[in-house]
Amino acid sequence: MIDPPKFLFFSLLALVIANASAHSDRAAVTYDGRSMIINGSRELLFSGSIHYPRSTPQMWPELIKKAKEGGLNLIQTYVFWNIHEPVQGQLNFEGNYDLVKFIKLIGDNGLWVTLRLGPYIESEWNLGGFPYWLKDVPNITFRSYNEPFMYHMKKYSEMVINMMKKEKLFADQGGPIIMAQIENEYNNVQLSYREAGEKYIKWAGDMAVGLYNGVPWIMCKQKNAPDTVISTCNGRHCADTFTGPNGPNKPSLWTENWTAQYRVFGDPPSQRSAEDLAYAVAKFFAKNGTLNNYYMYHGGTNFGRTSSSFVTTRYYDEAPLDEYGLKREPKFGHLRDLHRALKLSKKPLLWGTPKLQRVSQNVEITTYEKNKGKICAAFLTNNNTRVAETVEFRGEEYYLPPKSVSILPDCKTVVFNSQAVVAQHSSRNFVVSNTAKLRGWEMWRESVPTYDNLEVKSVSPRELYSLTKDTSDYAWYSTSIYIDRKDLPMRPDDLPVLEVASLGHALLAFVNGQYVGFGHGSNVEKSHVLKTPVKFKAGNNHISLLAMTVGLPNSGAYMEKRFAGPKAILIQGLMSGTLDISRNEWAQQVGVSGEKMKLFSEQGSKKVKWAPLDGNLGPLTWYKAYFDAPEGKDPVALRMTSMQKGVIWVNGINLGRYWVSYLSATNKPTQEEYHVPRAYLKEKDNMLVVMEETGGDPQKIEVLTVNRNTICSVITEYHPPTVKSWERRDNKIREIFDPVRAAHLACPDDKIIGKVEFVSFGENEGACGVFTPGKCDSTKAHKVVEELCLGKNGCIIPFERESLIDRGKDSCPDVAKTLAVQVACT
């Protein structure tokens, strides 16, 4: 027989022990002025931004795995309100939007998460992440001490936090989320809101901490963050620009280190070198920084209509992992090596006493020491951007290339220099697929409506944003005007001009059903004026405009008060003078017919009669073709250079906007290739649908596969051996293997080196994929590389003059040598 009191006692005891055990397993996150403290341990945090909706669930595991391989221990992501609640009260967390699945995958890989809740995120994302319905809330002012806005912001924030709590994803619950962010770069707009801005930012911080205080909250670019919130830095050089957090007990964190720059249509290429990134990060950690986040580590793709005004479909392609998830070398490898060098320095960085010594105007030495120098790390910095320096440090001389930081994790051994890239390089190749040939092209043309065909009537053209409510990029505007024959010019070569002043972003003009012109603004100046000569007829003339948005705004104050669309419409050059038809009675319609019928889907495409392609490839034309999946497993893209502007669908999925006719100052399109995730493809008969707005030839669209099978190495006389040569053991830096200066090459995906394409030992010019020989070279070096590398997955080529130069045949013995190698992986 069971004794009830004893049973109850032991049951309660077991419950207490179980709760205590569970609590001890939880990772508590705290901080002080030195660092974040996770589960009782100080940490150096190497973070990268990867946004779940900018890739596919099928890509997530590989992206996370590569991030970990790159030395990251933390992934940062925004939460995108407008994709999760596109219609008020209707939530969507499925497919690409499965936030919980994404966070769990990160945790399963042993990495932590920073959850940037926002809800304003900017991020070159439509309306900065706000759902359009929020604009229609009465009396609302975004991002201000405004009751309607604060009500919805808190309701949304609470929903996301409760979801994370329910799934036990916060660190104090045993999950991977160690930090959360509320608001985003508010200092950029705070002055516009005056006192309401100050009250709002305090309310936002208090609200967030009140909803959940199990992990720290942060605010980036917010000098006056509340005491309970950590202020952090965004930018390219936070070691120089960040004055520090607004409190002595807050650590120095860098939440956005821009790996290049997003691009808008019309932009030239955006670049940032691996060397500049590494230099900036090393300097930041030398100045007591303990978290650096790369924005972006993988940019990915703005699928559908998600990108903000004029932003390309391709996002931060210059990140360490490119749009397709391939390693962009040497950025990926050089930063990986930097992280390893900093991890070797972890103990002195987190527990040592810092000391700064300024050797000269450009050279400084920072040391971190503990236990009377037994634990020591040093940073030797040369801030001169043009001239190398030599510095003496503790009885030894060290060569410092221009604009570089050398890391000595034992205050003696250089294991990394930010300017000396030991990691391999790569060149991206777009290859026309042998099997994925587009076939069976057909076309269907939109009809141009007139005033009588459209339902929404008004005296003047309606404002474009409020008309479409972000349900479509397109809206028709139409009016009719009677022109007396006496008003038309007498000469047939003297035509009247239709002038349309628009607040943005682009528009097509038609008169009596005939296309007469296209005009557009830019990201800097959305407004534009279209002026085009028109052959009007005597009698009634139908003027129809197709106005377009290219994404909604994403930044600045008072985003809810922006405007777009046609504003003033004139006819100039009539015999009676200029005719203003802005208030001539207009009719409007949201969207185009093909959108409403969903011609981009298999079912919708059956609603019209498609015709074979003819020579009349004009504006507002839908094109359809089929193709089989490309060979192999490499990523897939479409080359759209034969088209102009429009939208792409594959198997009913919107891949985003293309605009190859908008050339940059280099006279090239900002983006030519458009990503087609493998997950969107079937083995056979994939349907491609393109809606071309202004005119192009779809028969020249190409299906491509993407690889980085061209790999290279560039090593000079001053390069250190690979940082993998050392480890920290028993508080000492020890050699794992003999540190040798060498070129290291490794093919991706278990491929082998099939061809040596370039070798130079002397001087050379160019970069990986476009090397050219310099003034001196060595023929022997080519043979050495072939012997060491051909037929292997990877190889190491020691930097040895004796083995790389024919005896007595050094064509320029006084020149410092560079070993440059390029091979092709097959």
Side-chain angles (χ1 to χ4, degrees):
M1 181 176 178
I2 297 175
D3 184 347
K6 287 184 179 179
F7 176 76
L8 181 61
F9 170 77
F10 285 112
S11 297
L12 290 171
L13 180 62
L15 185 61
V16 169
I17 293 172
N19 284 340
S21 175
H23 180 74
S24 66
D25 289 338
R26 291 178 179 177
V29 185
T30 58
Y31 59 85
D32 58 19
R34 193 64 179 267
S35 72
M36 302 296 297
I37 303 169
I38 305 172
N39 204 21
S41 176
R42 292 192 181 278
E43 296 291 346
L44 296 178
L45 295 172
F46 308 108
S47 176
S49 289
I50 300 176
H51 296 158
Y52 54 101
R54 283 174 159 143
S55 54
T56 65
Q58 292 77 9
M59 295 173 66
W60 295 344
E62 191 66 19
L63 293 173
I64 296 166
K65 176 184 172 184
K66 288 178 179 177
K68 187 173 183 178
E69 182 187 339
L72 301 193
N73 52 14
L74 177 64
I75 300 294
Q76 181 195 97
T77 185
Y78 283 122
V79 185
F80 298 74
W81 188 358
N82 56 5
I83 62 171
H84 293 310
E85 195 178 7
V87 177
Q88 188 173 2
Q90 297 181 19
L91 300 180
N92 180 7
F93 284 88
E94 298 179 353
N96 290 24
Y97 306 159
D98 195 338
L99 173 62
V100 168
K101 179 177 181 179
F102 182 66
I103 293 174
K104 286 183 175 179
L105 275 172
I106 296 171
D108 291 344
N109 280 270
L111 305 179
W112 292 305
V113 174
T114 299
L115 194 68
R116 303 181 81 182
L117 193 63
Y120 169 71
I121 62 172
E122 190 166 350
S123 191
E124 294 67 61
W125 192 261
N126 219 29
L127 209 58
F130 292 138
Y132 191 88
W133 58 260
L134 197 65
K135 282 187 66 172
D136 289 337
V137 173
N139 303 314
I140 197 165
T141 301
F142 290 177
R143 306 177 71 197
S144 179
Y145 197 79
N146 168 267
E147 289 295 337
F149 178 74
M150 293 189 297
Y151 168 80
H152 288 285
M153 175 173 170
K154 182 177 181 180
K155 184 179 179 183
Y156 164 76
S157 301
E158 191 169 17
M159 179 270 293
V160 175
I161 288 170
N162 287 342
M163 180 183 293
M164 300 300 105
K165 286 167 59 178
K166 180 182 177 182
E167 298 290 339
K168 300 187 185 304
L169 294 177
F170 286 110
D172 64 320
Q173 300 176 296
I177 301 174
I178 63 168
M179 279 184 290
Q181 178 178 307
I182 196 71
E183 250 298 332
N184 190 48
E185 298 189 349
Y186 193 68
N187 264 148
N188 292 345
V189 299
Q190 183 169 328
L191 288 177
S192 299
Y193 298 104
R194 305 192 181 196
E195 295 82 3
E198 290 185 21
K199 291 173 64 177
Y200 164 71
I201 205 64
K202 184 180 186 308
W203 169 85
D206 292 343
M207 181 270 292
V209 175
L211 288 176
Y212 196 79
N213 64 356
V215 297
W217 285 88
I218 62 174
M219 285 181 177
C220 61
K221 275 194 174 181
Q222 189 55 44
K223 294 180 181 179
N224 61 331
D227 292 340
T228 54
V229 177
I230 305 170
S231 56
T232 69
C233 184
N234 289 1
R236 283 198 175 204
H237 295 284
C238 281
D240 301 320
T241 61
F242 189 42
T243 57
N246 64 329
N249 298 318
K250 299 179 182 182
S252 186
L253 311 179
W254 190 352
T255 38
E256 285 191 21
N257 183 355
W258 303 324
T259 52
Q261 188 70 26
Y262 70 90
R263 297 171 73 186
V264 300
F265 290 114
D267 271 352
S270 171
Q271 303 291 336
R272 189 181 183 191
S273 70
E275 294 91 333
D276 186 63
L277 263 170
Y279 169 75
V281 174
K283 283 187 68 175
F284 185 71
F285 278 87
K287 293 188 176 182
N288 204 39
T290 55
L291 179 152
N292 169 73
N293 177 74
Y294 301 104
Y295 191 96
M296 299 288 297
Y297 197 76
H298 165 71
T301 307
N302 293 315
F303 297 113
R305 302 178 53 256
T306 56
S307 61
S308 64
S309 302
F310 287 83
V311 172
T312 58
T313 304
R314 174 179 289 163
Y315 190 63
Y316 271 91
D317 183 46
E318 293 77 13
L321 300 179
D322 70 12
E323 180 186 13
Y324 306 95
L326 302 175
K327 297 175 185 175
R328 178 176 286 278
E329 302 276 19
K331 195 170 284 187
F332 176 88
H334 194 46
L335 297 178
R336 174 201 61 210
D337 293 349
L338 168 64
H339 303 149
R340 184 177 177 90
L342 290 168
K343 286 175 184 176
L344 289 172
S345 311
K346 177 179 177 179
K347 206 158 192 176
L349 275 174
L350 292 175
W351 285 275
T353 301
K355 180 182 177 182
L356 174 64
Q357 176 189 355
R358 297 194 182 278
V359 179
S360 65
Q361 182 180 353
N362 294 310
V363 177
E364 57 191 30
I365 299 172
T366 306
T367 56
Y368 287 81
E369 292 189 82
K370 184 177 173 62
N371 293 344
K372 297 181 180 180
K374 292 181 179 179
I375 298 174
C376 183
F379 296 81
L380 312 184
T381 303
N382 178 13
N383 292 314
N384 193 314
T385 59
R386 296 178 179 272
V387 180
E389 299 275 2
T390 300
V391 61
E392 184 176 331
F393 176 60
R394 299 194 175 180
E396 298 288 338
E397 283 195 345
Y398 295 89
Y399 173 78
L400 301 179
K403 196 182 179 184
S404 74
V405 179
S406 286
I407 300 177
L408 291 65
D410 58 357
C411 285
K412 180 174 60 177
T413 309
V414 176
V415 301
F416 180 87
N417 177 274
S418 61
Q419 192 66 29
V421 178
V422 176
Q424 73 180 20
H425 304 232
S426 69
S427 177
R428 186 166 64 190
N429 305 308
F430 291 94
V431 182
V432 177
S433 171
N434 293 319
T435 60
K437 303 298 182 185
L438 291 161
R439 61 183 185 273
W441 279 109
E442 295 180 298
M443 62 186 289
W444 182 82
R445 181 159 290 131
E446 289 274 347
S447 59
V448 178
T450 61
Y451 179 89
D452 294 333
N453 304 137
L454 305 179
E455 296 179 358
V456 181
K457 313 291 186 181
S458 60
V459 175
S460 301
R462 292 265 305 271
E463 193 275 320
L464 184 57
Y465 290 151
S466 59
L467 178 63
T468 63
K469 296 189 183 297
D470 198 30
T471 59
S472 172
D473 278 2
Y474 309 105
W476 280 109
Y477 295 79
S478 188
T479 191
S480 295
I481 186 73
Y482 183 86
I483 299 179
D484 192 280
R485 184 178 298 277
K486 296 177 182 178
D487 273 342
L488 294 174
M490 300 293 290
R491 295 171 57 91
D493 59 344
D494 190 8
L495 298 178
V497 170
L498 175 66
E499 177 179 310
V500 184
S502 172
L503 298 176
H505 298 160
L507 61 83
L508 296 169
F510 298 83
V511 174
N512 297 324
Q514 299 299 309
Y515 171 67
V516 296
F518 169 66
H520 66 86
S522 68
N523 183 54
V524 175
E525 182 52 69
K526 276 98 180 158
S527 298
H528 61 97
V529 178
L530 169 66
K531 293 183 179 182
T532 182
V534 175
K535 189 174 183 179
F536 288 103
K537 65 181 182 180
N540 210 34
N541 289 266
H542 300 289
I543 299 173
S544 299
L545 309 173
L546 184 66
M548 309 172 193
T549 56
V550 188
L552 269 60
N554 76 311
S555 62
Y558 301 105
M559 285 200 304
E560 73 283 354
K561 295 177 173 62
R562 308 292 176 82
F563 305 102
K567 188 67 176 173
I569 303 97
L570 308 174
I571 301 175
Q572 298 174 330
L574 298 175
M575 297 298 285
S576 56
T578 297
L579 181 63
D580 186 344
I581 58 173
S582 306
R583 297 179 59 82
N584 191 56
E585 295 290 339
W586 288 79
Q588 289 95 180
Q589 171 188 288
V590 176
V592 292
S593 298
E595 269 186 309
K596 296 178 179 179
M597 292 186 287
K598 297 185 177 180
L599 295 188
F600 44 81
S601 68
E602 283 285 0
Q603 190 66 29
S605 69
K606 298 173 183 177
K607 295 180 180 178
V608 301
K609 185 176 181 180
W610 297 80
L613 257 64
D614 56 29
N616 185 17
L617 304 174
L620 285 187
T621 304
W622 294 75
Y623 299 102
K624 181 182 71 167
Y626 290 86
F627 66 99
D628 298 334
E631 62 279 11
K633 297 181 180 180
D634 288 338
V636 181
L638 295 170
R639 180 173 284 143
M640 301 294 293
T641 46
S642 65
M643 306 301 285
Q644 294 190 27
K645 181 181 184 296
V647 185
I648 310 167
W649 291 265
V650 168
N651 293 329
I653 301 172
N654 190 331
L655 300 183
R657 308 176 181 99
Y658 67 89
W659 196 350
V660 291
S661 62
Y662 194 161
L663 303 182
S664 72
T666 64
N667 207 35
K668 293 181 179 180
T670 302
Q671 181 178 344
E672 297 182 0
E673 301 86 15
Y674 290 79
H675 184 201
V676 186
R678 284 270 182 182
Y680 294 171
L681 297 178
K682 303 178 293 184
E683 186 175 344
K684 299 285 184 181
D685 298 328
N686 297 283
M687 185 173 76
L688 169 66
V689 174
V690 177
M691 205 283 271
E692 170 59 50
E693 296 167 5
T694 61
D697 186 356
Q699 297 172 100
K700 295 179 181 178
I701 297 173
E702 295 176 307
V703 182
L704 314 168
T705 58
V706 191
N707 68 64
R708 288 190 176 271
N709 292 340
T710 302
I711 60 173
C712 309
S713 183
V714 182
I715 303 295
T716 70
E717 306 256 14
Y718 66 80
H719 277 61
T722 174
V723 69
K724 296 178 183 178
S725 306
W726 295 278
E727 64 178 357
R728 179 177 285 277
R729 184 181 296 178
D730 301 327
N731 290 328
K732 293 183 179 179
I733 299 301
R734 301 177 184 271
E735 297 175 1
I736 301 174
F737 48 81
D738 187 22
V740 176
R741 184 183 294 110
H744 295 256
L745 295 169
C747 288
D749 305 321
D750 299 320
K751 296 173 184 176
I752 63 168
I753 297 172
K755 184 180 180 182
V756 176
E757 297 181 327
F758 179 86
V759 178
S760 171
F761 188 67
E763 292 183 326
N764 63 82
E765 297 177 358
C768 190
V770 287
F771 281 125
T772 56
K775 296 177 182 178
C776 56
D777 198 1
S778 168
T779 56
K780 184 180 179 183
H782 195 282
K783 296 177 183 178
V784 170
V785 172
E786 286 189 335
E787 290 173 2
L788 292 173
C789 299
L790 281 178
K792 300 176 182 178
N793 173 252
C795 59
I796 300 173
I797 307 142
F799 188 102
E800 298 172 347
R801 281 177 173 262
E802 296 78 14
S803 62
L804 294 173
I805 296 178
D806 292 326
R807 186 176 301 174
K809 294 185 179 179
D810 190 344
S811 57
C812 43
D814 297 329
V815 172
K817 296 294 188 286
T818 296
L819 173 62
V821 179
Q822 177 176 310
V823 301
C825 299
T826 59

